[in-house]
Amino acid sequence: MPVTDSEIDIAAYIDHSLLKPTATPEEVTHCCQEALQYNFPAVCVYPVAVKQAAEILHNQKTQVCTVIGFPTGATTSATKLYEAQEAVENGATELDVVINLGWLKLGQSEKIYREIAEICEATGKTVKAILETTVLTDTEKRLAAEICMDAGVAYLKTSTGWFGGATVADIKLLAEISKGQVGIKASGGIRTIKQAIELIEAGATRLGTSRGVDLIQQGIEKL
C-alpha cells in the first residue's frame, strides 16, 4: 500500500545538506539550527565546516556528516583516508565517501574494496558509500554495492547530486541488492514531498537534501 505524507515523519529521514562551495560560517550555523529545530538525523557539510558543526551540535542527537573524496571520488586512497580521519578528529560521526568510479569502470574491485574497508576500519564511524548511480550501468551499480557492503559500509548512497540525482528505480535496485543489510540514502534532486515519499516507498532510509525544511512545509500544507 502506498505511503502518504501524513503517515510518515519526513524529518526522520533527512540528512540536511549544505554542500554548495560558497557556504559561509553563518549558513553552516543556520543549517545546524534548522536540523535541531526539525530533529533531522544529520547535517551534511564540507570537511572545512565539520568542527563548527560539531561544536553547535555537541551532545545533540543530530549527527555531523561530511563528504570524503567529493564530488568525483578521484583523489588517492591515502588522501581519502587522511580526509576521513581528520574529519573524525574534528567531530564528524558520519562519512559519505565517493568511490573511485574509474576503478569501477575498469573492474578493479579489490582496489575499491581496500580503499573503503580501510576508511571503515580506521575511523569506526558510519560510512555511506556514494556510488554515483547516474553514471553507472545496472551491472556496475550491483558490483559497486556488493563491494561496498563487503567492505563494511553502513549505507549505500545514490549520488553526489553533481551529476544527476536519485531515482526510484535505483533505490529499488539497491534495496533488492542490500536485502536490508545496510541503509540506503537517496540523494540529489529531491525537491518535492511527492518525490521524497516515492523514494521512501522504494526503500530509502535516508534522504540527502538541502530542501529538508521546504519538504516539511510542503507536507504541512497538504494536511
Side-chain angles (χ1 to χ4, degrees):
M1 180 179 295
V3 179
T4 69
D5 46 320
S6 61
E7 295 171 338
I8 61 172
D9 178 11
I10 291 292
Y13 290 83
I14 291 173
D15 281 9
H16 196 35
S17 302
L18 179 60
L19 294 173
K20 62 179 184 179
T22 57
T24 65
E26 291 75 19
E27 288 175 307
V28 172
T29 296
H30 184 64
C31 177
C32 291
Q33 290 172 339
E34 287 181 330
L36 290 173
Q37 179 182 352
Y38 293 99
N39 295 313
F40 294 149
V43 296
C44 188
V45 296
Y46 278 115
V48 71
V50 164
K51 187 173 289 188
Q52 179 188 352
E55 289 172 355
I56 296 170
L57 298 172
H58 182 63
N59 286 335
Q60 302 293 331
K61 289 183 179 180
T62 299
Q63 301 298 300
V64 178
C65 175
T66 194
V67 287
I68 305 298
F70 190 88
T72 66
T75 48
T76 66
S77 295
T79 300
K80 286 183 184 176
L81 179 61
Y82 179 84
E83 190 176 26
Q85 290 175 314
E86 183 183 44
V88 170
E89 289 172 4
N90 286 337
T93 53
E94 299 189 358
L95 306 168
D96 286 17
V97 183
V98 188
I99 69 169
N100 189 306
L101 297 164
W103 288 347
L104 184 66
K105 292 289 184 179
L106 289 172
Q108 295 178 332
S109 302
E110 183 59 32
K111 286 185 176 181
I112 299 170
Y113 173 86
R114 280 201 307 269
E115 180 174 274
I116 300 299
E118 190 171 28
I119 292 172
C120 290
E121 184 176 349
T123 64
K125 300 300 182 182
T126 296
V127 173
K128 309 187 195 94
I130 305 178
L131 309 184
E132 206 66 89
T133 49
T134 58
V135 301
L136 304 179
T137 65
D138 281 356
T139 298
E140 290 168 339
K141 293 169 195 174
R142 185 175 294 275
L143 176 61
E146 290 173 347
I147 293 168
C148 292
M149 289 171 62
D150 287 345
V153 303
Y155 286 81
L156 300 172
K157 178 177 173 180
T158 59
S159 322
T160 60
W162 285 54
F163 309 103
T167 67
V168 167
D170 281 340
I171 295 299
K172 286 182 176 179
L173 178 62
L174 294 179
E176 183 267 318
I177 296 166
S178 64
K179 296 180 172 61
Q181 296 176 50
V182 297
I184 299 172
K185 179 174 174 179
S187 185
I190 305 172
R191 297 182 176 87
T192 69
I193 191 72
K194 181 176 182 291
Q195 282 178 293
I197 292 168
E198 288 174 347
L199 291 165
I200 292 168
E201 274 193 298
T205 56
R206 287 278 189 98
L207 304 174
T209 178
S210 61
R211 299 171 181 260
V213 174
D214 186 39
L215 293 178
I216 290 173
Q217 293 301 323
Q218 289 179 41
I220 292 171
E221 290 169 4
K222 290 184 68 175
L223 294 178

